[in-house]
Amino acid sequence: MCRQPRIRRSPSAAPAIVAILMLVAAGCSKSIQQPTWPVTGVVEFDGKPLDGATIVFHAVDRSKFKWKELPQGFTDSEGRFSIRTYASDDGAPAGEYDVGIAMVQPTSDEGEDQRRRVKGSTVIPAKYADPKTSGIRVTVDRKKTVLPTIGLAP
């Protein structure tokens, strides 16, 4: 019968190794995140608050971003939004951004409004969805930024 060599493990080594790995992981995860600053604003379409739109910030100078962060937010019933990058309402890194705003019309198969909508039809002109054609550029400062109302035309 062949004997297997016994490896002796120290019971105190496992917690120490786990603690070291947690510290390394925590240090690495923070190093990829840039500081963010709170950003809020309002979007109106044809003079009325735009509810349910998606706002996405595209950095003008991408060299400052280690990852492909896309700060974004969603409008509420009053057209208000707050931007998030890494966590809810954390804001965006300071810098200049071209902005894309999109909203897809919900469809209803129930006939509740007595008209059939084309699935996925846009509510606002498609040019606003592309940050290159939207004509919207904002600057996020190294402080809380309240953007002026973003007015979209039909």
Side-chain angles (χ1 to χ4, degrees):
M1 184 158 134
C2 192
R3 291 181 107 194
Q4 293 285 333
R6 292 182 100 188
I7 299 174
R8 194 170 183 156
R9 295 182 189 160
S10 169
S12 62
I17 291 172
V18 170
I20 290 170
L21 290 174
M22 287 174 60
L23 287 172
V24 168
C28 290
S29 67
K30 291 290 183 187
S31 67
I32 63 170
Q33 292 185 359
Q34 297 185 62
T36 56
W37 305 93
V39 181
T40 59
V42 174
V43 178
E44 293 180 349
F45 177 63
D46 201 18
K48 298 178 182 113
L50 186 61
D51 182 13
T54 302
I55 294 98
V56 182
F57 286 15
H58 296 261
V60 172
D61 182 2
R62 298 288 304 155
S63 68
K64 295 180 181 178
F65 289 85
K66 294 178 183 177
W67 299 93
K68 295 183 179 181
E69 296 100 329
L70 287 174
Q72 57 190 289
F74 303 96
T75 59
D76 64 14
S77 62
E78 295 179 12
R80 296 178 305 198
F81 66 89
S82 60
I83 296 296
R84 71 173 304 264
T85 301
Y86 305 108
S88 181
D89 299 332
D90 65 345
E96 274 195 305
Y97 295 89
D98 288 326
V99 180
I101 301 175
M103 184 173 167
V104 176
Q105 181 72 28
T107 59
S108 173
D109 292 333
E110 299 298 318
E112 59 199 36
D113 63 359
Q114 299 304 314
R115 64 180 184 179
R116 185 134 174 103
R117 295 186 180 122
V118 177
K119 187 175 184 175
S121 63
T122 58
V123 174
I124 59 176
K127 72 175 187 174
Y128 293 119
D130 185 343
K132 294 176 186 163
T133 60
S134 72
I136 305 166
R137 181 170 281 188
V138 299
T139 300
V140 175
D141 296 317
R142 293 182 182 272
K143 62 180 182 177
K144 182 177 180 176
T145 301
V146 178
L147 299 171
T149 298
I150 299 171
L152 308 179

